[in-house]
Amino acid sequence: MASTSAAAGTEPDLIARREGAAGIIRLNRPKAINAVTLEMFRDIDKALDTFEADPAVAVIVMEGAGDRGLCAGGDIRALYDSSKVQGDLGKILWREEYILNARIARFPKPYVAFMDGIVMGGGVGLSAHGRHRVVTEKTKLAMPEVGLGFFPDVGGTWLLSHAPGDIGSYFGLTGQTMNGPDAIHARFADAVVPSAKLAVLREELTKVQPGTPSDEIKRLIDGFATGETAGPVAAMQATIDRWFGHDRMEDIIAALQRDGSEPALSTLKTLNEKSPRGMVVTLKLLRLARASSSLEQCLAREYRAALEVFASDDFREGVRAAVIDKDRNPRWSPSRIEDVTPAMLAPYFANIGADELVFDQ
């Protein structure tokens, strides 16, 4: 069965095996909160090949090792190192990752993701496109990429643009964390199951008969669920819509300044810490995603923008401040939203010719 190569005596970074009727895919880097490498993405794809072809596999279960979370995202440090030397890891990794995200979304067998604990960035791409997305009372789901001079990728622009009102704009631009019920409200998840019940649910999924339709898998999961569908951020929906229901960052900032309340000023402070260019790119991607007809369209657009980000000083500076030096003091270029010009934005949305992301239908 597919598994990322491991040194003798150690477990592989990706474990894929059949348990009863379930094809289990376990991200297995618990010390790194299961951050995903290029090899792991490749092994997930191979595992899906195997499970799709195996008539004994009724359902896929995506899970993370350890008790900290499903996945903290992609291997940012490796991308940073490659970007510094004008390498091609971003071009290769994101191409394969985004194609995998689209595959998960259209996978023919029921795909169940256990989104327990931390679920961020690339971890969202491996879970939130699945058919059955289970969160818990421990879930901390976020798309914090704007804080790295980046934008919510892995199909994040598609997901965020389909959240109710402008709550997706809020989560995408602030990088704020959703709890389990808010993830359901934002349409990133389907059911809250207490983490103490996950083991029993997992055991039941291994007993599902091959050919069981998705509706029956949903009923099985719902039997363990609390029924919660909205958390603390959902309670602010009307206010968030008023703040973020604009197509220019300057207008969002102005709406928060006009409001002047403690929550508005706190949100303003959060935005002031993010990459101005990252925010402007993100907002445009979200608005374009709203008018898009498919996840694949959004992923192709994200890939164009990601290649431009990979070559940018803002990405390296964001990762330096957050991950390398950890001084939390990025020096963005430009440093103000009003200095982000159309000429700066254009390359993020330009056709990339032979490198365009194409999906097998």
Side-chain angles (χ1 to χ4, degrees), residues 167-312:
I167 211 156
S169 305
Y170 167 80
F171 281 124
L173 291 165
T174 65
Q176 292 290 79
T177 300
M178 310 177 200
N179 69 4
D182 270 334
I184 291 175
H185 179 74
R187 300 177 188 154
F188 276 69
D190 304 297
V192 180
V193 173
S195 59
K197 292 185 177 180
L198 285 182
V200 183
L201 171 56
R202 186 183 186 282
E203 179 66 22
E204 289 300 311
L205 288 168
T206 68
K207 299 173 184 172
V208 169
Q209 290 297 309
T212 299
S214 258
D215 286 353
E216 286 192 35
I217 304 289
K218 181 183 185 303
R219 278 194 288 275
L220 171 61
I221 294 168
D222 286 347
F224 290 84
T226 64
E228 296 166 273
T229 57
V233 179
M236 294 178 62
Q237 177 82 60
T239 304
I240 286 170
D241 289 352
R242 194 166 66 247
W243 293 342
F244 285 86
H246 307 279
D247 295 337
R248 297 186 333 129
M249 277 308 304
E250 293 91 335
D251 296 333
I252 291 173
I253 298 296
L256 289 162
Q257 288 170 335
R258 269 197 312 276
D259 183 301
S261 64
E262 194 283 322
L265 295 177
S266 173
T267 301
L268 202 53
K269 181 176 182 295
T270 298
L271 293 177
N272 284 336
E273 296 164 359
K274 309 302 181 192
S275 158
R277 197 180 345 179
M279 286 190 287
V280 175
V281 169
T282 294
L283 186 58
K284 183 167 182 180
L285 285 168
L286 290 173
R287 294 300 178 258
L288 289 169
R290 210 174 251 181
S292 297
S293 60
S294 69
L295 167 63
E296 284 85 354
Q297 275 187 0
C298 293
L299 286 165
R301 192 183 295 119
E302 289 173 11
Y303 189 65
R304 292 176 176 180
L307 295 191
E308 188 63 25
V309 167
F310 192 65
S312 76

Side-chain angles (χ1 to χ4, degrees), residues 96-147:
E96 296 189 30
E97 181 182 13
Y98 295 1
I99 288 170
L100 178 60
N101 298 146
R103 181 178 189 183
I104 289 167
R106 60 173 189 263
F107 199 70
K109 294 183 179 180
Y111 183 106
V112 181
F114 284 176
M115 302 164 76
D116 193 28
I118 290 169
V119 187
M120 294 187 180
V124 173
L126 294 175
S127 56
H129 298 302
R131 199 107 38 103
H132 306 283
R133 304 157 307 169
V134 177
V135 286
T136 74
E137 77 283 0
K138 296 179 183 176
T139 295
K140 293 179 178 175
L141 190 154
M143 301 292 291
E145 291 83 357
V146 178

